[in-house]
Amino acid sequence: MMNNFDEGGGAQDVTEAIGVLYRVDPGLEISQVIDGIGIPNAICFSPDGRTMYFADTLAETIWAFEVDIATGNLRNRRVFVGPGVVGYPDGACVDAEGYVWNARWEGNCVIRFAPNGSIDRIVDVPASRVTCCAFGSLNLDALYITTSRAGLTEAALANEPDAGGLFVCSPGVMGIAGATFAG
């Protein structure tokens, strides 16, 4: 499980869903959009910008929201992927076909979820703590995958020497360019 840091720099386990997600509007106004978050992760958008995906690692859930393009308001929150999938949801991105790629902390993989939330594909990673994935390269056809070695014992590191590494694969689909801030 992830942790937070106290004022002295010591690690503290996150056990309560007390976090909040804010939105910064083009005029630089700040609005609270979601509360009751344990560990926020995986904000990404469908290719048309009308669906936002957002994960709470502590709740082991990825939600999908409809996005009002004109206002940025979210509505119709629904579970996209719930608990019970290998590992915990961490960072994510969306490909040009509208599928969500999600790094799975303690899951040794990245999972590609179809727009209906079903598992389409699993990319195995030689490290347990998979933290994020993103498309890159000139054609956005390479999937880069980050991992962590934080908190692993010496014995665990001996078993997964690639922990903390950066990996790349060619998944056969293209990513989408990130949206730019309108402000």
Side-chain angles (χ1 to χ4, degrees):
M1 192 54 59
M2 293 180 74
N3 56 43
N4 225 348
F5 296 94
D6 61 25
E7 292 176 12
Q12 247 177 287
D13 287 339
V14 175
T15 58
E16 296 180 77
I18 59 172
V20 177
L21 178 69
Y22 294 93
R23 177 185 71 226
V24 179
D25 295 315
L28 303 182
E29 300 87 12
I30 298 173
S31 306
Q32 178 179 318
V33 292
I34 307 171
D35 61 6
I37 303 166
I39 302 171
N41 256 311
I43 296 175
C44 53
F45 294 84
S46 62
D48 66 5
R50 296 184 184 280
T51 303
M52 182 186 91
Y53 300 96
F54 175 78
D56 183 341
T57 303
L58 189 64
E60 299 180 44
T61 301
I62 302 172
W63 286 280
F65 297 80
E66 289 179 25
V67 179
D68 181 320
I69 299 295
T71 66
N73 291 332
L74 304 178
R75 61 178 178 258
N76 298 329
R77 176 179 175 163
R78 65 179 170 83
V79 172
F80 177 66
V81 176
V85 179
V86 64
Y88 300 90
D90 211 315
C93 61
V94 176
D95 66 31
E97 297 174 359
Y99 286 64
V100 176
W101 294 79
N102 182 240
R104 304 301 291 191
W105 178 266
E106 296 295 342
N108 293 78
C109 66
V110 172
I111 300 178
R112 184 186 194 223
F113 292 100
N116 67 5
S118 65
I119 295 174
D120 173 72
R121 184 184 325 174
I122 297 176
V123 176
D124 293 322
V125 178
S128 60
R129 297 184 171 178
V130 185
T131 56
C132 200
C133 54
F135 283 93
S137 81
L138 291 176
N139 298 319
L140 295 175
D141 60 354
L143 184 68
Y144 292 88
I145 302 166
T146 59
T147 64
S148 175
R149 29 185 317 123
L152 293 176
T153 64
E154 290 300 319
L157 287 169
N159 288 331
E160 51 180 291
D162 294 326
L166 171 67
F167 303 90
V168 65
C169 67
S170 297
V173 296
M174 294 177 61
I176 53 177
T180 57
F181 181 59

